[in-house]
């Protein structure tokens, strides 16, 4: 009897608590819902072009007035941009041209709902004019003035899990990364079997490629010696006696 009473009490509390949270927090569109939709869109719309899997490079998100006001903050929009870039790496896709995330305010849209569309753009269409206040475009920015640096979208990491520098870690995105013992390297190693400039990573079409820099002992990916290699999430890179894991963050 006691067990049955406790069970009924737990059921009662569970129902009441669930109802409370549903009442208090329903109707609020969260960024994670859009992120998950963007990830699904990358996977669903990616297609083979000339033997390569390519994902769309333009995504438009139509939001109700209140949701638009809440989600148009730069830090939120940055998460949408990096979500697409990360998913492209996870799904072994390229993205051609500049990736663009467009947020639009739709006065007729219901609260807590959104519409997501994607397309392959050649960049010929122009950006929304400044007179269109209800549209925000997030894309890779280019600046000529050094002090006006663009946002660095970090999507992947290098982490040492074996060797003299266990625990060494670097997050990066679109910049070129140099690996070696020299002090100017982006990822500095102390392993004596590693060359001063051992290898480097380039960024193109939203993917990373590892290149051997003429090192003395060679560069290996998943046990195979390489001159250059398109990196996949989870790849193990060996330089000297050091094992580095490349992965999406």
């Amino acid at each position: 009897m006691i067990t049955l009473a406790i069970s009924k009490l737990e059921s009662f509390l569970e129902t009441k608590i669930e109802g409370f949270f549903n009442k208090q927090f329903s109707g609020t569109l969260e960024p994670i819902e859009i992120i998950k939709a963007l990830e699904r869109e990358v996977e669903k719309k990616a297609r083979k072009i000339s033997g390569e899997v390519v994902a769309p490079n333009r995504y438009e998100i139509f939001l109700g007035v209140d949701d638009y006001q809440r989600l148009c903050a730069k830090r939120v929009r940055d998460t949408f941009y990096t979500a697409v870039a990360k998913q492209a790496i996870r799904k072994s896709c390229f993205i051609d041209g500049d990736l663009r995330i467009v947020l639009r305010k739709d006065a007729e849209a219901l609260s807590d709902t959104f519409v997501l569309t994607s397309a392959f753009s050649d960049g010929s269409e122009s950006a929304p004019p400044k007179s269109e206040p209800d549209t925000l475009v997030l894309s890779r920015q280019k600046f000529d003035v050094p002090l006006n640096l663009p946002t660095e979208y970090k999507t992947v990491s290098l982490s040492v899990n074996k060797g003299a520098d266990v625990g060494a870690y670097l997050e990066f995105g679109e910049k070129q990364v140099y690996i070696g013992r020299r002090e100017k390297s982006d990822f500095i190693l102390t392993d004596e079997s590693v060359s001063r400039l051992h290898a480097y990573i380039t960024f193109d079409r939203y993917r990373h490629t590892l290149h051997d820099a003429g090192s003395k002992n060679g560069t290996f990916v998943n046990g195979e010696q390489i001159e250059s290699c398109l990196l996949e999430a989870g790849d193990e890179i060996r330089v000297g006696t050091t094992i580095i894991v490349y992965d999406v963050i």
Side-chain angles (χ1 to χ4, degrees), residues 112-181:
D112 194 31
T113 65
F114 66 95
V115 174
L116 170 64
T117 65
S118 64
F120 291 84
S121 170
D122 60 6
S124 59
E125 75 275 16
S126 59
K130 291 183 179 180
S131 60
E132 190 176 339
D134 296 338
T135 300
L136 287 170
V137 180
L138 181 63
S139 62
R140 188 192 307 173
Q141 303 172 52
K142 298 180 177 68
F143 294 93
D144 295 326
V145 183
L147 294 179
N148 251 345
L149 296 176
T151 301
E152 182 182 359
Y153 299 105
K154 295 180 179 179
T155 54
V156 298
S157 67
L158 297 176
S159 56
V160 176
N161 66 4
K162 183 179 179 181
D165 301 286
V166 170
Y169 181 80
L170 175 70
E171 293 182 353
F172 63 101
E174 302 177 3
K175 71 175 185 177
Q176 188 157 308
V177 172
Y178 295 93
I179 302 168
R181 289 189 295 108

Coordinates of all heavy atoms in Angstrom, one line a residue, residues 112-181:
D112 N 6.8 31.2 -32.1 CA 7.3 29.8 -31.8 C 7.4 29.0 -33.1 O 7.5 27.7 -33.0 CB 6.5 29.1 -30.7 CG 7.2 27.9 -30.2 OD1 8.4 27.9 -30.2 OD2 6.5 26.9 -29.8
T113 N 7.3 29.6 -34.2 CA 7.4 28.8 -35.5 C 8.4 29.5 -36.4 O 8.7 30.7 -36.2 CB 6.1 28.7 -36.2 OG1 5.7 30.0 -36.7 CG2 5.0 28.1 -35.4
F114 N 9.0 28.8 -37.3 CA 9.9 29.4 -38.2 C 9.9 28.6 -39.5 O 9.5 27.4 -39.5 CB 11.3 29.5 -37.7 CG 12.0 28.2 -37.5 CD1 12.8 27.6 -38.4 CD2 11.8 27.5 -36.3 CE1 13.5 26.4 -38.2 CE2 12.4 26.2 -36.1 CZ 13.3 25.7 -37.0
V115 N 10.3 29.2 -40.6 CA 10.4 28.5 -41.9 C 11.9 28.6 -42.3 O 12.5 29.7 -42.3 CB 9.5 29.1 -42.9 CG1 9.7 28.5 -44.3 CG2 8.0 28.9 -42.5
L116 N 12.5 27.5 -42.7 CA 13.8 27.5 -43.1 C 13.9 27.0 -44.6 O 13.3 26.0 -45.0 CB 14.7 26.5 -42.3 CG 16.1 26.1 -42.7 CD1 17.0 27.4 -42.7 CD2 16.7 25.0 -41.9
T117 N 14.6 27.8 -45.4 CA 14.8 27.4 -46.8 C 16.3 27.4 -47.1 O 17.1 28.1 -46.4 CB 14.1 28.3 -47.8 OG1 14.7 29.6 -47.7 CG2 12.6 28.4 -47.5
S118 N 16.8 26.7 -48.1 CA 18.2 26.7 -48.5 C 18.3 26.6 -50.0 O 17.4 26.3 -50.7 CB 18.9 25.4 -47.9 OG 18.3 24.2 -48.4
A119 N 19.5 27.1 -50.4 CA 19.7 27.1 -51.9 C 21.1 27.1 -52.2 O 22.0 27.4 -51.3 CB 19.0 28.4 -52.5
F120 N 21.5 26.8 -53.4 CA 22.8 26.8 -53.9 C 22.9 28.1 -54.7 O 22.3 28.3 -55.7 CB 23.1 25.7 -54.9 CG 23.2 24.3 -54.1 CD1 22.0 23.6 -53.9 CD2 24.4 23.8 -53.7 CE1 22.1 22.4 -53.2 CE2 24.5 22.6 -53.1 CZ 23.3 21.9 -52.8
S121 N 23.7 29.1 -54.2 CA 23.8 30.4 -54.8 C 25.2 30.6 -55.4 O 26.2 30.2 -54.9 CB 23.6 31.5 -53.7 OG 23.9 32.8 -54.2
D122 N 25.2 31.3 -56.6 CA 26.4 31.6 -57.2 C 27.0 33.0 -56.9 O 28.0 33.4 -57.4 CB 26.3 31.5 -58.8 CG 25.3 32.4 -59.3 OD1 24.7 33.3 -58.5 OD2 25.0 32.4 -60.5
G123 N 26.2 33.6 -55.9 CA 26.7 34.9 -55.4 C 26.2 36.1 -56.3 O 26.6 37.2 -56.0
S124 N 25.5 35.8 -57.4 CA 25.1 36.9 -58.3 C 24.0 37.8 -57.7 O 23.9 38.9 -58.1 CB 24.7 36.3 -59.6 OG 23.5 35.4 -59.4
E125 N 23.2 37.2 -56.8 CA 22.2 38.1 -56.3 C 22.8 39.0 -55.3 O 23.7 38.7 -54.6 CB 21.1 37.2 -55.6 CG 21.4 36.6 -54.2 CD 22.1 35.3 -54.4 OE1 22.6 35.0 -55.4 OE2 22.2 34.6 -53.3
S126 N 22.2 40.2 -55.2 CA 22.7 41.2 -54.3 C 22.2 41.1 -52.9 O 21.2 40.4 -52.6 CB 22.4 42.6 -54.8 OG 21.0 42.8 -54.9
A127 N 22.9 41.6 -51.9 CA 22.5 41.6 -50.5 C 21.2 42.5 -50.4 O 21.0 43.4 -51.2 CB 23.6 42.0 -49.6
P128 N 20.4 42.3 -49.3 CA 19.2 43.1 -49.1 C 19.7 44.6 -48.9 O 20.7 44.9 -48.3 CB 18.6 42.6 -47.8 CG 19.1 41.2 -47.7 CD 20.5 41.2 -48.4
P129 N 18.9 45.5 -49.5 CA 19.3 46.9 -49.4 C 19.2 47.4 -47.9 O 18.5 46.8 -47.1 CB 18.3 47.6 -50.3 CG 17.1 46.7 -50.3 CD 17.7 45.3 -50.3
K130 N 19.9 48.5 -47.6 CA 19.9 49.0 -46.2 C 18.5 49.5 -45.8 O 18.2 49.6 -44.7 CB 20.9 50.1 -46.1 CG 22.3 49.7 -46.2 CD 23.3 50.8 -46.0 CE 24.8 50.3 -46.1 NZ 25.7 51.4 -45.9
S131 N 17.7 49.8 -46.8 CA 16.3 50.2 -46.5 C 15.4 49.1 -46.1 O 14.2 49.3 -45.8 CB 15.7 50.9 -47.7 OG 15.7 50.0 -48.8
E132 N 15.9 47.9 -46.1 CA 15.1 46.7 -45.7 C 15.5 46.4 -44.3 O 16.4 45.6 -44.0 CB 15.3 45.6 -46.6 CG 14.4 44.4 -46.4 CD 14.6 43.3 -47.5 OE1 15.1 43.6 -48.5 OE2 14.1 42.2 -47.2
P133 N 14.8 46.9 -43.2 CA 15.3 46.8 -41.9 C 15.0 45.4 -41.2 O 15.6 45.1 -40.2 CB 14.5 47.9 -41.1 CG 13.2 48.0 -41.9 CD 13.6 47.8 -43.4
D134 N 14.1 44.7 -41.8 CA 13.7 43.4 -41.2 C 14.5 42.2 -41.8 O 14.0 41.1 -41.7 CB 12.2 43.2 -41.4 CG 11.4 44.3 -40.7 OD1 12.0 44.9 -39.8 OD2 10.3 44.5 -41.1
T135 N 15.7 42.4 -42.3 CA 16.5 41.4 -42.8 C 17.9 41.5 -42.3 O 18.5 42.6 -42.4 CB 16.5 41.4 -44.4 OG1 15.2 41.2 -44.8 CG2 17.4 40.2 -44.9
L136 N 18.5 40.4 -41.8 CA 19.9 40.4 -41.4 C 20.6 39.3 -42.1 O 20.1 38.2 -42.3 CB 20.0 40.1 -39.9 CG 19.6 41.3 -39.0 CD1 19.5 40.8 -37.5 CD2 20.6 42.4 -39.1
V137 N 21.8 39.6 -42.7 CA 22.6 38.7 -43.4 C 23.9 38.4 -42.7 O 24.6 39.3 -42.3 CB 22.9 39.2 -44.8 CG1 23.7 38.2 -45.6 CG2 21.6 39.5 -45.6
L138 N 24.2 37.2 -42.4 CA 25.4 36.8 -41.8 C 26.2 36.0 -42.8 O 25.8 34.9 -43.3 CB 25.1 35.9 -40.6 CG 26.4 35.5 -39.8 CD1 27.1 36.7 -39.2 CD2 26.0 34.5 -38.7
S139 N 27.4 36.5 -43.1 CA 28.3 35.8 -44.1 C 29.7 36.1 -43.7 O 30.0 36.9 -42.8 CB 28.0 36.3 -45.5 OG 28.3 37.7 -45.6
R140 N 30.7 35.4 -44.3 CA 32.1 35.6 -44.1 C 32.4 37.0 -44.5 O 32.2 37.4 -45.6 CB 32.9 34.6 -44.8 CG 34.4 34.7 -44.5 CD 35.3 33.9 -45.4 NE 34.8 32.6 -45.7 CZ 35.3 31.8 -46.6 NH1 36.3 32.2 -47.4 NH2 34.9 30.5 -46.7
Q141 N 32.9 37.8 -43.5 CA 33.2 39.2 -43.8 C 34.6 39.4 -44.2 O 35.5 38.7 -43.8 CB 32.9 40.0 -42.5 CG 31.5 39.9 -42.0 CD 31.3 40.5 -40.6 OE1 31.6 41.7 -40.5 NE2 30.8 39.8 -39.6
K142 N 34.8 40.4 -45.1 CA 36.1 40.8 -45.6 C 36.4 42.3 -45.2 O 35.5 43.1 -45.5 CB 36.2 40.6 -47.1 CG 36.0 39.1 -47.5 CD 36.1 39.0 -49.0 CE 36.0 37.5 -49.4 NZ 34.7 37.0 -49.2
F143 N 37.5 42.6 -44.6 CA 37.8 43.9 -44.3 C 39.2 44.3 -44.8 O 40.1 43.4 -44.8 CB 37.8 44.1 -42.7 CG 36.5 43.9 -42.1 CD1 36.1 42.7 -41.6 CD2 35.6 45.0 -42.0 CE1 34.8 42.5 -41.1 CE2 34.3 44.8 -41.5 CZ 34.0 43.6 -41.0
D144 N 39.4 45.5 -45.2 CA 40.7 46.0 -45.6 C 41.5 46.6 -44.5 O 42.7 46.7 -44.5 CB 40.5 47.0 -46.8 CG 39.9 46.3 -48.0 OD1 40.2 45.2 -48.3 OD2 39.2 47.0 -48.7
V145 N 40.8 47.1 -43.5 CA 41.4 47.8 -42.4 C 41.8 46.8 -41.3 O 40.9 46.1 -40.8 CB 40.5 48.9 -41.8 CG1 41.2 49.6 -40.7 CG2 40.0 49.9 -42.9
P146 N 43.1 46.7 -41.0 CA 43.5 45.6 -40.0 C 42.8 45.7 -38.7 O 42.5 44.7 -38.0 CB 45.0 45.9 -39.9 CG 45.4 46.6 -41.1 CD 44.2 47.4 -41.5
L147 N 42.4 46.9 -38.2 CA 41.8 47.1 -36.9 C 40.4 46.6 -36.9 O 39.8 46.3 -35.9 CB 41.9 48.5 -36.4 CG 43.3 49.0 -36.2 CD1 43.3 50.5 -35.7 CD2 44.0 48.2 -35.1
N148 N 39.8 46.5 -38.1 CA 38.4 46.0 -38.2 C 38.4 44.6 -38.5 O 38.0 44.2 -39.6 CB 37.7 46.8 -39.3 CG 36.6 47.8 -38.7 OD1 36.3 47.7 -37.6 ND2 36.2 48.7 -39.6
L149 N 38.8 43.7 -37.6 CA 39.0 42.3 -37.9 C 37.6 41.6 -38.0 O 36.7 41.9 -37.2 CB 39.8 41.6 -36.8 CG 41.3 42.1 -36.8 CD1 42.0 41.4 -35.6 CD2 42.0 41.8 -38.0
P150 N 37.5 40.7 -39.0 CA 36.2 39.9 -39.0 C 36.1 38.9 -37.9 O 37.0 38.6 -37.3 CB 36.3 39.2 -40.4 CG 37.8 39.0 -40.6 CD 38.4 40.3 -40.0
T151 N 34.9 38.5 -37.7 CA 34.6 37.5 -36.7 C 35.3 36.2 -37.0 O 35.3 35.7 -38.2 CB 33.1 37.2 -36.5 OG1 32.5 38.4 -36.2 CG2 32.8 36.1 -35.5
E152 N 36.0 35.6 -36.1 CA 36.6 34.3 -36.3 C 35.7 33.2 -35.9 O 35.4 33.0 -34.7 CB 38.0 34.2 -35.5 CG 38.7 32.8 -35.8 CD 40.0 32.7 -35.0 OE1 40.3 33.6 -34.3 OE2 40.6 31.6 -35.1
Y153 N 35.2 32.4 -36.8 CA 34.3 31.3 -36.5 C 35.1 30.1 -36.3 O 35.6 29.4 -37.2 CB 33.3 31.2 -37.7 CG 32.5 32.4 -38.0 CD1 32.7 33.2 -39.1 CD2 31.4 32.7 -37.1 CE1 32.0 34.3 -39.3 CE2 30.7 33.9 -37.4 CZ 30.9 34.7 -38.5 OH 30.2 35.8 -38.7
K154 N 35.2 29.7 -35.0 CA 35.9 28.4 -34.7 C 35.0 27.2 -34.8 O 33.9 27.2 -34.2 CB 36.5 28.6 -33.3 CG 37.5 29.7 -33.1 CD 38.1 29.8 -31.7 CE 39.1 30.9 -31.6 NZ 39.7 31.0 -30.3
T155 N 35.4 26.3 -35.6 CA 34.6 25.1 -35.8 C 35.3 23.8 -35.5 O 34.6 22.8 -35.3 CB 34.2 25.0 -37.3 OG1 35.4 25.1 -38.1 CG2 33.3 26.2 -37.7
V156 N 36.6 23.7 -35.4 CA 37.3 22.5 -35.2 C 38.4 22.7 -34.2 O 38.8 23.8 -33.8 CB 37.9 21.9 -36.5 CG1 36.8 21.6 -37.5 CG2 38.9 22.9 -37.1
S157 N 39.0 21.6 -33.8 CA 40.1 21.6 -32.9 C 41.2 20.6 -33.2 O 41.0 19.6 -33.9 CB 39.6 21.3 -31.4 OG 39.2 20.0 -31.3
L158 N 42.4 20.9 -32.7 CA 43.5 19.9 -32.7 C 43.9 19.7 -31.2 O 44.0 20.6 -30.4 CB 44.8 20.5 -33.4 CG 44.7 20.8 -34.9 CD1 46.0 21.5 -35.3 CD2 44.4 19.6 -35.7
S159 N 44.0 18.4 -30.9 CA 44.3 18.1 -29.5 C 45.3 16.9 -29.5 O 45.1 15.9 -30.2 CB 43.1 17.7 -28.7 OG 42.4 16.6 -29.3
V160 N 46.4 17.1 -28.7 CA 47.4 16.0 -28.6 C 47.0 15.0 -27.5 O 46.8 15.4 -26.4 CB 48.8 16.6 -28.2 CG1 49.8 15.5 -28.0 CG2 49.2 17.6 -29.3
N161 N 46.9 13.7 -27.9 CA 46.5 12.7 -27.0 C 47.6 11.7 -26.8 O 47.5 10.7 -26.0 CB 45.2 12.0 -27.3 CG 45.3 11.2 -28.6 OD1 46.4 11.1 -29.2 ND2 44.2 10.6 -29.1
K162 N 48.8 11.9 -27.4 CA 49.9 11.0 -27.2 C 51.2 11.8 -27.6 O 51.3 12.4 -28.7 CB 49.8 9.7 -28.0 CG 51.0 8.7 -27.8 CD 50.8 7.4 -28.6 CE 51.9 6.5 -28.3 NZ 51.8 5.2 -29.1
G163 N 52.2 11.7 -26.8 CA 53.5 12.3 -27.1 C 53.9 13.3 -26.0 O 53.3 13.3 -24.9
A164 N 54.9 14.1 -26.3 CA 55.5 15.0 -25.3 C 54.6 16.1 -24.9 O 54.8 16.7 -23.8 CB 56.8 15.5 -25.8
D165 N 53.6 16.4 -25.7 CA 52.7 17.6 -25.5 C 51.3 17.2 -25.2 O 50.4 17.9 -25.7 CB 52.9 18.5 -26.7 CG 54.3 19.0 -27.0 OD1 54.8 19.8 -26.2 OD2 54.9 18.4 -27.9
V166 N 51.1 16.1 -24.6 CA 49.7 15.7 -24.2 C 49.0 16.8 -23.5 O 49.5 17.4 -22.6 CB 49.7 14.4 -23.3 CG1 48.3 14.1 -22.8 CG2 50.2 13.2 -24.1
G167 N 47.8 17.1 -24.0 CA 47.0 18.2 -23.5 C 47.0 19.4 -24.3 O 46.1 20.3 -24.1
A168 N 48.0 19.6 -25.2 CA 48.0 20.7 -26.1 C 46.7 20.8 -26.9 O 46.3 19.8 -27.4 CB 49.2 20.7 -27.0
Y169 N 46.2 22.0 -27.1 CA 44.8 22.1 -27.7 C 44.7 23.4 -28.4 O 45.2 24.4 -28.0 CB 43.8 22.0 -26.6 CG 42.4 22.1 -27.0 CD1 41.7 20.9 -27.6 CD2 41.6 23.2 -26.9 CE1 40.4 21.0 -28.0 CE2 40.3 23.3 -27.3 CZ 39.7 22.2 -27.9 OH 38.4 22.2 -28.3
L170 N 44.1 23.4 -29.6 CA 43.9 24.6 -30.4 C 42.5 24.5 -31.1 O 42.2 23.5 -31.7 CB 45.0 24.7 -31.4 CG 44.8 25.9 -32.4 CD1 45.0 27.3 -31.7 CD2 45.8 25.8 -33.5
E171 N 41.7 25.6 -30.9 CA 40.5 25.7 -31.7 C 40.7 26.7 -32.8 O 41.4 27.8 -32.6 CB 39.4 26.2 -30.8 CG 39.0 25.1 -29.7 CD 37.8 25.6 -28.9 OE1 37.4 26.8 -29.0 OE2 37.3 24.8 -28.1
F172 N 40.2 26.4 -34.0 CA 40.3 27.4 -35.1 C 39.2 27.1 -36.1 O 38.4 26.3 -35.9 CB 41.7 27.2 -35.8 CG 42.0 25.8 -36.4 CD1 41.9 25.6 -37.7 CD2 42.3 24.7 -35.6 CE1 42.1 24.4 -38.3 CE2 42.5 23.5 -36.2 CZ 42.4 23.3 -37.5
G173 N 39.3 27.9 -37.2 CA 38.2 27.8 -38.2 C 38.7 28.0 -39.6 O 39.1 27.1 -40.2
E174 N 38.8 29.3 -40.0 CA 39.1 29.6 -41.4 C 40.5 30.0 -41.7 O 40.9 30.2 -42.8 CB 38.1 30.7 -41.9 CG 36.6 30.2 -41.7 CD 35.7 31.3 -42.2 OE1 36.1 32.4 -42.6 OE2 34.5 31.1 -42.0
K175 N 41.3 30.1 -40.6 CA 42.7 30.6 -40.8 C 43.6 29.4 -41.1 O 43.3 28.3 -40.8 CB 43.2 31.4 -39.6 CG 43.5 30.5 -38.4 CD 44.1 31.4 -37.3 CE 44.5 30.5 -36.1 NZ 45.1 31.3 -35.0
Q176 N 44.8 29.7 -41.7 CA 45.8 28.7 -42.0 C 46.5 28.4 -40.7 O 46.9 29.4 -39.9 CB 46.7 29.2 -43.1 CG 47.7 28.1 -43.5 CD 48.2 28.3 -44.9 OE1 47.4 28.5 -45.8 NE2 49.5 28.4 -45.1
V177 N 46.8 27.2 -40.4 CA 47.4 26.8 -39.1 C 48.7 26.1 -39.4 O 48.8 25.1 -40.2 CB 46.5 25.9 -38.3 CG1 47.2 25.3 -37.1 CG2 45.3 26.6 -37.8
Y178 N 49.8 26.5 -38.7 CA 51.2 25.9 -38.9 C 51.5 25.1 -37.7 O 51.3 25.5 -36.5 CB 52.2 27.0 -39.1 CG 52.0 27.8 -40.4 CD1 51.3 29.0 -40.4 CD2 52.6 27.3 -41.6 CE1 51.1 29.7 -41.6 CE2 52.4 28.0 -42.8 CZ 51.7 29.2 -42.8 OH 51.5 29.8 -44.0
I179 N 52.0 23.9 -37.9 CA 52.3 22.9 -36.9 C 53.8 22.7 -36.9 O 54.4 22.3 -37.9 CB 51.6 21.6 -37.1 CG1 50.1 21.9 -37.1 CG2 51.9 20.6 -36.0 CD1 49.3 20.7 -37.6
G180 N 54.5 22.8 -35.7 CA 55.9 22.5 -35.6 C 56.5 23.0 -34.3 O 55.8 23.5 -33.4
R181 N 57.9 22.9 -34.3 CA 58.6 23.3 -33.1 C 59.0 24.8 -33.0 O 59.3 25.3 -32.0 CB 59.9 22.5 -32.9 CG 59.6 21.0 -32.5 CD 60.9 20.3 -32.2 NE 61.8 20.2 -33.3 CZ 62.9 20.9 -33.5 NH1 63.3 21.7 -32.5 NH2 63.7 20.7 -34.6

